[in-house]
Amino acid sequence: MSAASDLRGRPGRDADIVAHGSRLDESSYVELTLRRDDHWQRTGASTGVVTTLAVAHPIFHQDGVFDARIALRNLYLEVTDVGAKGLSLWAGSRMYRGDDIYLLDWWPLDNLNTLGGGVRYRIDERTSAALQAGLSKPQGLFFGQIVDRPSPLNQLGAAPVEVLARQKFIGSARAAHVVPLPGGAGLKGVAYGELHTLARGQRQSEPDVPNVYERLPADSGYVLGAEIGATTGERDTHVNLFLRYARGLAAHGELAAPVQLAADGTASGAHEVVVALGGNWERGPFGVMVAGYLRSFRDASPDLDVHDLDEGIAMARPHVFFGELFGLAVEASYQAQQRGVLSTPGAPPGSLTAPEGPHAASLVRFGVIPFVTPAGRGDLSRPVVRLIWALTLRDAGARGLYPEDDVYSLRKTEHFLGLGAEWWFNTPS
């Protein structure tokens, strides 16, 4: 939760230009989890029912509207030790995730929002394997279309008909192994893959002309990825390296629709490459967290356009603790992106009004964060109450990423001053 100002009378606002930037200026967001665990003596199995309700910005105290943006993020049943020790099954709606990079608030390798089920086998404390399968039908004309048709049995009026309703299938496989080292340290390796498929369909090509249809071909894609990690086993000190390659339909993620298609009407040829790194080191009263990634995305269209993107960020957040309760952190980051378009001659600097070549943008951010940690010192110790001041310096290309009259298109510098709190309580889910 946070309350923030830009020191010019406006609310504080996210100033990142990359997809996964610093979490310093994130808006308020909370997840409330209810979990029920049972052990069944008759079968030896155990069950857990997990429900997670999320509430997003803006909250009532921000805009005075007695309403909320609510989403159901988890609602699933998991059965463990079902028929064999270490074997578990689950079904329902789930945030299905692996390891994250804290500074970026991002899961670079495996992060699915899935409605379906899965199986996991934990061979021992070091080795596990898991399979997952789920279905979704995101919004948009790529997946569905509803049109009006005359009511049946000669009744008056019209009735909505779902002419197009394509469900997307996503299956994933994950294997992980930990190699223990002396002193509680360890090395971890993860292999990961996804398969995306979409059935063919047809939709009405003209909104007001019935019985004129266009065919939509079947589509597919895949993800291949890996993670290599190391930990000392002390005070959350670790480093993780992520590698991920997505092709075809999978390059657009699990819930997004392709914007540009290939000549055959599919997302074939689209691809995304991600290399990401995150880590934390602590010793005595000092600590430092680091994060960064490089990402290259190309859509299925053979020509470069505004959706073809190369981007990256490098950042670090050193900490110093004054005893167990108080601390001070500073953060610095550099963000850059390049899109497949340039500004029109004579247009404002950085304007994206005509495709003439690559458009480059970058910014630098600095932050100062004094904080209080009631649970004791640690870079990831929570809960925490903190004061945040951040300064963003944009170049002309970064300003050109925003529409005309947006203050971010006009300002070279941006301030963010906020008071906030962050907490979490670890659960088995």
Side-chain angles (χ1 to χ4, degrees), residues 315-336:
M315 62 187 308
R317 185 189 292 185
H319 297 70
V320 59
F321 292 88
F322 308 106
E324 292 288 340
L325 191 59
F326 300 99
L328 177 67
V330 295
E331 181 178 295
S333 67
Y334 173 76
Q335 305 178 23

PDB file of all heavy atoms in Angstrom, residues 315-336:
ATOM      1  N   MET A 315      19.775  -2.845 -12.565  1.00  0.00           N
ATOM      2  CA  MET A 315      19.496  -2.094 -11.342  1.00  0.00           C
ATOM      3  C   MET A 315      20.141  -2.759 -10.137  1.00  0.00           C
ATOM      4  O   MET A 315      20.435  -3.955 -10.134  1.00  0.00           O
ATOM      5  CB  MET A 315      17.990  -1.959 -11.118  1.00  0.00           C
ATOM      6  CG  MET A 315      17.254  -3.260 -10.926  1.00  0.00           C
ATOM      7  SD  MET A 315      15.450  -3.047 -10.865  1.00  0.00           S
ATOM      8  CE  MET A 315      15.278  -1.792  -9.614  1.00  0.00           C
ATOM      9  N   ALA A 316      20.341  -1.932  -9.095  1.00  0.00           N
ATOM     10  CA  ALA A 316      20.915  -2.415  -7.839  1.00  0.00           C
ATOM     11  C   ALA A 316      20.299  -1.621  -6.693  1.00  0.00           C
ATOM     12  O   ALA A 316      19.983  -0.431  -6.851  1.00  0.00           O
ATOM     13  CB  ALA A 316      22.434  -2.259  -7.835  1.00  0.00           C
ATOM     14  N   ARG A 317      20.125  -2.288  -5.541  1.00  0.00           N
ATOM     15  CA  ARG A 317      19.590  -1.630  -4.350  1.00  0.00           C
ATOM     16  C   ARG A 317      20.435  -2.040  -3.132  1.00  0.00           C
ATOM     17  O   ARG A 317      20.184  -3.060  -2.502  1.00  0.00           O
ATOM     18  CB  ARG A 317      18.125  -1.998  -4.113  1.00  0.00           C
ATOM     19  CG  ARG A 317      17.507  -1.224  -2.943  1.00  0.00           C
ATOM     20  CD  ARG A 317      16.125  -1.741  -2.551  1.00  0.00           C
ATOM     21  NE  ARG A 317      15.127  -1.470  -3.584  1.00  0.00           N
ATOM     22  CZ  ARG A 317      13.824  -1.741  -3.418  1.00  0.00           C
ATOM     23  NH1 ARG A 317      13.395  -2.301  -2.281  1.00  0.00           N
ATOM     24  NH2 ARG A 317      12.975  -1.469  -4.400  1.00  0.00           N
ATOM     25  N   PRO A 318      21.463  -1.263  -2.768  1.00  0.00           N
ATOM     26  CA  PRO A 318      22.232  -1.535  -1.543  1.00  0.00           C
ATOM     27  C   PRO A 318      21.425  -1.144  -0.295  1.00  0.00           C
ATOM     28  O   PRO A 318      20.632  -0.197  -0.321  1.00  0.00           O
ATOM     29  CB  PRO A 318      23.476  -0.656  -1.682  1.00  0.00           C
ATOM     30  CG  PRO A 318      23.483  -0.195  -3.110  1.00  0.00           C
ATOM     31  CD  PRO A 318      22.061  -0.184  -3.552  1.00  0.00           C
ATOM     32  N   HIS A 319      21.645  -1.874   0.800  1.00  0.00           N
ATOM     33  CA  HIS A 319      20.999  -1.612   2.080  1.00  0.00           C
ATOM     34  C   HIS A 319      22.063  -1.462   3.160  1.00  0.00           C
ATOM     35  O   HIS A 319      23.117  -2.110   3.105  1.00  0.00           O
ATOM     36  CB  HIS A 319      20.089  -2.771   2.509  1.00  0.00           C
ATOM     37  CG  HIS A 319      18.934  -3.049   1.596  1.00  0.00           C
ATOM     38  ND1 HIS A 319      19.092  -3.583   0.336  1.00  0.00           N
ATOM     39  CD2 HIS A 319      17.601  -2.884   1.772  1.00  0.00           C
ATOM     40  CE1 HIS A 319      17.895  -3.743  -0.234  1.00  0.00           C
ATOM     41  NE2 HIS A 319      16.974  -3.331   0.623  1.00  0.00           N
ATOM     42  N   VAL A 320      21.769  -0.658   4.158  1.00  0.00           N
ATOM     43  CA  VAL A 320      22.552  -0.626   5.387  1.00  0.00           C
ATOM     44  C   VAL A 320      21.560  -0.578   6.549  1.00  0.00           C
ATOM     45  O   VAL A 320      20.568   0.152   6.502  1.00  0.00           O
ATOM     46  CB  VAL A 320      23.524   0.577   5.424  1.00  0.00           C
ATOM     47  CG1 VAL A 320      22.784   1.894   5.320  1.00  0.00           C
ATOM     48  CG2 VAL A 320      24.376   0.528   6.695  1.00  0.00           C
ATOM     49  N   PHE A 321      21.820  -1.407   7.578  1.00  0.00           N
ATOM     50  CA  PHE A 321      20.918  -1.509   8.717  1.00  0.00           C
ATOM     51  C   PHE A 321      21.554  -0.871   9.942  1.00  0.00           C
ATOM     52  O   PHE A 321      22.757  -1.066  10.214  1.00  0.00           O
ATOM     53  CB  PHE A 321      20.596  -2.979   9.002  1.00  0.00           C
ATOM     54  CG  PHE A 321      19.766  -3.630   7.919  1.00  0.00           C
ATOM     55  CD1 PHE A 321      20.375  -4.234   6.832  1.00  0.00           C
ATOM     56  CD2 PHE A 321      18.382  -3.622   7.983  1.00  0.00           C
ATOM     57  CE1 PHE A 321      19.626  -4.817   5.825  1.00  0.00           C
ATOM     58  CE2 PHE A 321      17.621  -4.205   6.986  1.00  0.00           C
ATOM     59  CZ  PHE A 321      18.241  -4.807   5.907  1.00  0.00           C
ATOM     60  N   PHE A 322      20.752  -0.129  10.663  1.00  0.00           N
ATOM     61  CA  PHE A 322      21.180   0.501  11.905  1.00  0.00           C
ATOM     62  C   PHE A 322      20.509  -0.269  13.043  1.00  0.00           C
ATOM     63  O   PHE A 322      19.396   0.046  13.459  1.00  0.00           O
ATOM     64  CB  PHE A 322      20.787   1.977  11.922  1.00  0.00           C
ATOM     65  CG  PHE A 322      21.241   2.727  10.696  1.00  0.00           C
ATOM     66  CD1 PHE A 322      20.334   3.098   9.721  1.00  0.00           C
ATOM     67  CD2 PHE A 322      22.578   3.029  10.510  1.00  0.00           C
ATOM     68  CE1 PHE A 322      20.747   3.783   8.586  1.00  0.00           C
ATOM     69  CE2 PHE A 322      23.005   3.714   9.385  1.00  0.00           C
ATOM     70  CZ  PHE A 322      22.094   4.088   8.420  1.00  0.00           C
ATOM     71  N   GLY A 323      21.197  -1.316  13.488  1.00  0.00           N
ATOM     72  CA  GLY A 323      20.581  -2.211  14.459  1.00  0.00           C
ATOM     73  C   GLY A 323      19.624  -3.153  13.749  1.00  0.00           C
ATOM     74  O   GLY A 323      19.783  -3.477  12.568  1.00  0.00           O
ATOM     75  N   GLU A 324      18.590  -3.594  14.465  1.00  0.00           N
ATOM     76  CA  GLU A 324      17.627  -4.533  13.904  1.00  0.00           C
ATOM     77  C   GLU A 324      16.391  -3.855  13.328  1.00  0.00           C
ATOM     78  O   GLU A 324      15.689  -4.433  12.513  1.00  0.00           O
ATOM     79  CB  GLU A 324      17.183  -5.535  14.993  1.00  0.00           C
ATOM     80  CG  GLU A 324      18.261  -6.489  15.450  1.00  0.00           C
ATOM     81  CD  GLU A 324      18.585  -7.540  14.397  1.00  0.00           C
ATOM     82  OE1 GLU A 324      17.749  -7.776  13.498  1.00  0.00           O
ATOM     83  OE2 GLU A 324      19.676  -8.133  14.457  1.00  0.00           O
ATOM     84  N   LEU A 325      16.112  -2.631  13.723  1.00  0.00           N
ATOM     85  CA  LEU A 325      14.826  -2.031  13.425  1.00  0.00           C
ATOM     86  C   LEU A 325      14.841  -1.061  12.255  1.00  0.00           C
ATOM     87  O   LEU A 325      13.871  -0.992  11.499  1.00  0.00           O
ATOM     88  CB  LEU A 325      14.295  -1.317  14.672  1.00  0.00           C
ATOM     89  CG  LEU A 325      12.841  -0.847  14.653  1.00  0.00           C
ATOM     90  CD1 LEU A 325      11.896  -2.017  14.421  1.00  0.00           C
ATOM     91  CD2 LEU A 325      12.501  -0.111  15.942  1.00  0.00           C
ATOM     92  N   PHE A 326      15.925  -0.325  12.083  1.00  0.00           N
ATOM     93  CA  PHE A 326      15.957   0.744  11.084  1.00  0.00           C
ATOM     94  C   PHE A 326      16.969   0.435   9.981  1.00  0.00           C
ATOM     95  O   PHE A 326      17.951  -0.291  10.202  1.00  0.00           O
ATOM     96  CB  PHE A 326      16.310   2.084  11.734  1.00  0.00           C
ATOM     97  CG  PHE A 326      15.337   2.515  12.789  1.00  0.00           C
ATOM     98  CD1 PHE A 326      15.624   2.305  14.134  1.00  0.00           C
ATOM     99  CD2 PHE A 326      14.136   3.122  12.446  1.00  0.00           C
ATOM    100  CE1 PHE A 326      14.732   2.699  15.118  1.00  0.00           C
ATOM    101  CE2 PHE A 326      13.240   3.521  13.412  1.00  0.00           C
ATOM    102  CZ  PHE A 326      13.530   3.304  14.753  1.00  0.00           C
ATOM    103  N   GLY A 327      16.744   1.032   8.824  1.00  0.00           N
ATOM    104  CA  GLY A 327      17.668   0.847   7.715  1.00  0.00           C
ATOM    105  C   GLY A 327      17.489   1.913   6.651  1.00  0.00           C
ATOM    106  O   GLY A 327      16.534   2.697   6.664  1.00  0.00           O
ATOM    107  N   LEU A 328      18.441   1.935   5.730  1.00  0.00           N
ATOM    108  CA  LEU A 328      18.416   2.874   4.611  1.00  0.00           C
ATOM    109  C   LEU A 328      18.853   2.131   3.357  1.00  0.00           C
ATOM    110  O   LEU A 328      19.880   1.447   3.355  1.00  0.00           O
ATOM    111  CB  LEU A 328      19.357   4.053   4.869  1.00  0.00           C
ATOM    112  CG  LEU A 328      19.477   5.075   3.733  1.00  0.00           C
ATOM    113  CD1 LEU A 328      18.158   5.827   3.534  1.00  0.00           C
ATOM    114  CD2 LEU A 328      20.622   6.054   3.999  1.00  0.00           C
ATOM    115  N   ALA A 329      18.068   2.277   2.304  1.00  0.00           N
ATOM    116  CA  ALA A 329      18.414   1.677   1.015  1.00  0.00           C
ATOM    117  C   ALA A 329      18.462   2.763  -0.047  1.00  0.00           C
ATOM    118  O   ALA A 329      17.758   3.778   0.046  1.00  0.00           O
ATOM    119  CB  ALA A 329      17.396   0.619   0.630  1.00  0.00           C
ATOM    120  N   VAL A 330      19.311   2.565  -1.027  1.00  0.00           N
ATOM    121  CA  VAL A 330      19.330   3.423  -2.212  1.00  0.00           C
ATOM    122  C   VAL A 330      19.204   2.512  -3.427  1.00  0.00           C
ATOM    123  O   VAL A 330      19.591   1.345  -3.390  1.00  0.00           O
ATOM    124  CB  VAL A 330      20.611   4.276  -2.293  1.00  0.00           C
ATOM    125  CG1 VAL A 330      20.679   5.263  -1.146  1.00  0.00           C
ATOM    126  CG2 VAL A 330      21.850   3.394  -2.310  1.00  0.00           C
ATOM    127  N   GLU A 331      18.631   3.061  -4.483  1.00  0.00           N
ATOM    128  CA  GLU A 331      18.425   2.255  -5.694  1.00  0.00           C
ATOM    129  C   GLU A 331      18.792   3.057  -6.918  1.00  0.00           C
ATOM    130  O   GLU A 331      18.510   4.260  -6.999  1.00  0.00           O
ATOM    131  CB  GLU A 331      16.967   1.798  -5.787  1.00  0.00           C
ATOM    132  CG  GLU A 331      16.686   0.922  -7.012  1.00  0.00           C
ATOM    133  CD  GLU A 331      15.254   0.426  -7.072  1.00  0.00           C
ATOM    134  OE1 GLU A 331      14.869  -0.358  -6.182  1.00  0.00           O
ATOM    135  OE2 GLU A 331      14.526   0.841  -8.004  1.00  0.00           O
ATOM    136  N   ALA A 332      19.420   2.401  -7.869  1.00  0.00           N
ATOM    137  CA  ALA A 332      19.754   3.023  -9.150  1.00  0.00           C
ATOM    138  C   ALA A 332      19.414   2.049 -10.261  1.00  0.00           C
ATOM    139  O   ALA A 332      19.654   0.830 -10.129  1.00  0.00           O
ATOM    140  CB  ALA A 332      21.229   3.403  -9.209  1.00  0.00           C
ATOM    141  N   SER A 333      18.846   2.566 -11.346  1.00  0.00           N
ATOM    142  CA  SER A 333      18.528   1.698 -12.473  1.00  0.00           C
ATOM    143  C   SER A 333      18.697   2.467 -13.779  1.00  0.00           C
ATOM    144  O   SER A 333      18.531   3.689 -13.829  1.00  0.00           O
ATOM    145  CB  SER A 333      17.097   1.161 -12.371  1.00  0.00           C
ATOM    146  OG  SER A 333      16.138   2.185 -12.519  1.00  0.00           O
ATOM    147  N   TYR A 334      18.994   1.703 -14.825  1.00  0.00           N
ATOM    148  CA  TYR A 334      19.049   2.232 -16.181  1.00  0.00           C
ATOM    149  C   TYR A 334      18.130   1.371 -17.034  1.00  0.00           C
ATOM    150  O   TYR A 334      18.236   0.136 -17.039  1.00  0.00           O
ATOM    151  CB  TYR A 334      20.472   2.188 -16.733  1.00  0.00           C
ATOM    152  CG  TYR A 334      20.557   2.572 -18.203  1.00  0.00           C
ATOM    153  CD1 TYR A 334      20.451   3.901 -18.590  1.00  0.00           C
ATOM    154  CD2 TYR A 334      20.717   1.600 -19.192  1.00  0.00           C
ATOM    155  CE1 TYR A 334      20.519   4.260 -19.934  1.00  0.00           C
ATOM    156  CE2 TYR A 334      20.786   1.947 -20.533  1.00  0.00           C
ATOM    157  CZ  TYR A 334      20.681   3.283 -20.889  1.00  0.00           C
ATOM    158  OH  TYR A 334      20.736   3.638 -22.218  1.00  0.00           O
ATOM    159  N   GLN A 335      17.216   2.024 -17.762  1.00  0.00           N
ATOM    160  CA  GLN A 335      16.254   1.322 -18.594  1.00  0.00           C
ATOM    161  C   GLN A 335      16.375   1.820 -20.029  1.00  0.00           C
ATOM    162  O   GLN A 335      16.551   3.022 -20.265  1.00  0.00           O
ATOM    163  CB  GLN A 335      14.822   1.565 -18.106  1.00  0.00           C
ATOM    164  CG  GLN A 335      14.589   1.226 -16.653  1.00  0.00           C
ATOM    165  CD  GLN A 335      13.172   1.527 -16.213  1.00  0.00           C
ATOM    166  OE1 GLN A 335      12.243   1.588 -17.032  1.00  0.00           O
ATOM    167  NE2 GLN A 335      12.977   1.702 -14.910  1.00  0.00           N
ATOM    168  N   ALA A 336      16.257   0.902 -20.979  1.00  0.00           N
ATOM    169  CA  ALA A 336      16.341   1.286 -22.396  1.00  0.00           C
ATOM    170  C   ALA A 336      15.465   0.371 -23.224  1.00  0.00           C
ATOM    171  O   ALA A 336      15.259  -0.797 -22.880  1.00  0.00           O
ATOM    172  CB  ALA A 336      17.785   1.223 -22.884  1.00  0.00           C
TER     173      ALA A 336
END
